[in-house]
Amino acid sequence: MADGDAYVELGRAQWGDLRKNTPLTLTEAELEELRGIDDPIDLAEVTDIYLPLTRLLNLHFTGSRQRSAAVGAFLGEREERVPYVLGIAGSVAVGKSTTARLLHTLLARWPEHPRVELVTTDSFLYPNKVLEERGIMHRKGFPESYDRRALVRFVAGVKAGRASVDAPVYSHLEYDIVPGATQTVHRPDILIVEGLNVLQPAPPTALAVCDYFDFSIYVDARVEDIRAWYVDRFHKLRRTAFSDPKSYFTHIAELSDEEATEFAKNVWRDINERNLVENIAPTRGRAGLILSKGPDHSVRRVRLRRT
């Protein structure tokens, strides 16, 4: 079961056995609402992978609360419930957003932590105007395209137990930050932060958003598999969201299938794969747990950090 390094590796069946008595609280209709546009996840995967994961997170949440209470008792302070922060990282098109939405729903159904909030780091991208002024519009999604300080301030505010903390709102349809719109987080039991680069270390003398995480998950797969999923998703978006007149990518809906495939492969090669190889994948070893997917998008094995 051990793989000789900091992680314990478990196959799908071994991991599924750790579900114990955790009940399945999700229906097929609810799963349909939560799954991504190209993610074929089914209730069997929820049962085998995500129920054991929610059990682990519930135990970790309880331990975190106990440690916080112990420190408070030592200092002679009144006990304050400190929000638990979970980070979820991984490539574009790997399915991390589906993972985040699933955990958001499933964790909120545990009586110990009914208030669960989900924020994506897309909300902390610089507006397109700023990216264009800095000449980095083509590097959207790379670490420098995010307002790292604003993201850290937001998570620090939640972790500090502030009554409410605001985050910007990002529109995937318009491919930009929505002016004046905010998502307000009100002192949750658990905050889930999902994004490409959430496990990036901080520059010297600064704090990184992952410094505030109680636990972190990396959704992993082979680069060639993610590339295929990205192209497939691109074609599905082309037939759906991109055809909306308000879409930033409405011009792509008019391409032929061959032109669209070539466009998607070029975007993957020049932007997403480069970002994955240079910035995202190197942070995998910082995660507390790694979900490794096979070519069919299903999780084949789980690696859990020992400490």
Side-chain angles (χ1 to χ4, degrees):
M1 189 162 77
D3 64 359
D5 61 8
Y7 290 90
V8 175
E9 184 169 316
L10 302 102
R12 183 170 175 136
Q14 290 174 295
W15 178 256
D17 287 342
L18 299 176
R19 170 193 174 187
K20 301 300 181 184
N21 297 318
T22 307
L24 176 61
T25 58
L26 197 70
T27 67
E28 182 63 52
E30 289 173 320
L31 180 59
E32 180 64 29
E33 291 291 321
L34 295 170
R35 67 164 58 96
I37 192 169
D38 61 336
D39 197 329
I41 189 170
D42 56 19
L43 287 177
E45 175 124 320
V46 174
T47 300
D48 293 345
I49 302 300
Y50 291 95
L51 293 188
L53 180 51
T54 58
R55 175 174 176 255
L56 171 66
L57 291 170
N58 173 263
L59 291 170
H60 203 266
F61 171 90
T62 301
S64 178
R65 280 280 167 89
Q66 290 171 345
R67 289 192 299 274
S68 179
V71 172
F74 172 73
L75 295 173
E77 296 177 344
R78 182 170 61 88
E79 182 179 351
E80 295 285 350
R81 291 197 166 191
V82 178
Y84 181 94
V85 182
L86 170 64
I88 301 177
S91 171
V92 168
V94 79
K96 67 184 179 304
S97 296
T98 297
T99 293
R101 289 190 296 266
L102 267 173
L103 290 176
H104 178 223
T105 299
L106 292 170
L107 288 170
R109 294 179 180 179
W110 286 75
E112 294 87 351
H113 35 70
R115 300 191 307 277
V116 182
E117 295 278 2
L118 169 61
V119 171
T120 73
T121 58
D122 287 344
S123 294
F124 293 89
L125 283 161
Y126 285 113
N128 288 352
K129 181 180 178 181
V130 174
L131 297 177
E132 289 165 354
E133 289 172 350
R134 297 184 180 184
I136 57 172
M137 188 67 177
H138 65 292
R139 291 178 65 83
K140 196 168 190 176
F142 283 67
E144 65 269 27
S145 66
Y146 294 90
D147 188 342
R148 185 189 60 81
R149 291 179 180 176
L151 174 59
V152 170
R153 284 197 302 269
F154 169 79
V155 177
V158 173
K159 194 70 174 173
R162 285 171 49 188
S164 64
V165 188
D166 290 337
V169 173
Y170 183 81
S171 168
H172 286 276
L173 183 67
E174 298 176 17
Y175 197 59
D176 203 355
I177 297 295
V178 180
T182 57
Q183 175 186 353
T184 302
V185 173
H186 298 283
R187 197 174 288 161
D189 297 312
I190 297 175
L191 172 68
I192 300 173
V193 181
E194 177 255 308
L196 300 172
N197 298 296
V198 296
L199 294 178
Q200 283 279 324
T205 73
L207 286 171
V209 65
C210 60
D211 290 325
Y212 294 94
F213 292 169
D214 294 282
F215 196 79
S216 57
I217 297 167
Y218 186 95
V219 185
D220 195 24
R222 298 188 308 167
V223 173
E224 52 266 40
D225 292 331
I226 307 175
R227 181 189 304 118
W229 300 339
Y230 176 80
V231 174
D232 287 345
R233 186 179 75 171
F234 187 88
H235 279 290
K236 290 174 183 175
L237 287 170
R238 185 169 145 260
R239 295 190 294 269
T240 54
F242 292 173
S243 62
D244 189 317
K246 296 180 181 178
S247 173
Y248 179 88
F249 297 104
T250 186
H251 61 285
I252 293 174
E254 301 172 2
L255 298 178
S256 69
D257 288 346
E258 294 76 14
E259 290 171 331
T261 296
E262 188 65 20
F263 183 91
K265 287 181 176 179
N266 289 340
V267 170
W268 171 262
R269 182 192 64 236
D270 297 338
I271 299 175
N272 295 312
E273 184 171 343
R274 186 175 173 187
N275 195 18
L276 171 60
V277 172
E278 293 179 3
N279 300 302
I280 303 167
T283 69
R284 177 175 47 208
R286 299 170 63 87
L289 181 137
I290 301 170
L291 297 175
S292 296
K293 292 187 169 187
D296 63 352
H297 237 304
S298 67
V299 176
R300 300 290 182 84
R301 65 185 189 277
V302 178
R303 301 180 73 208
L304 175 64
R305 183 178 287 278
R306 295 173 178 273
T307 56

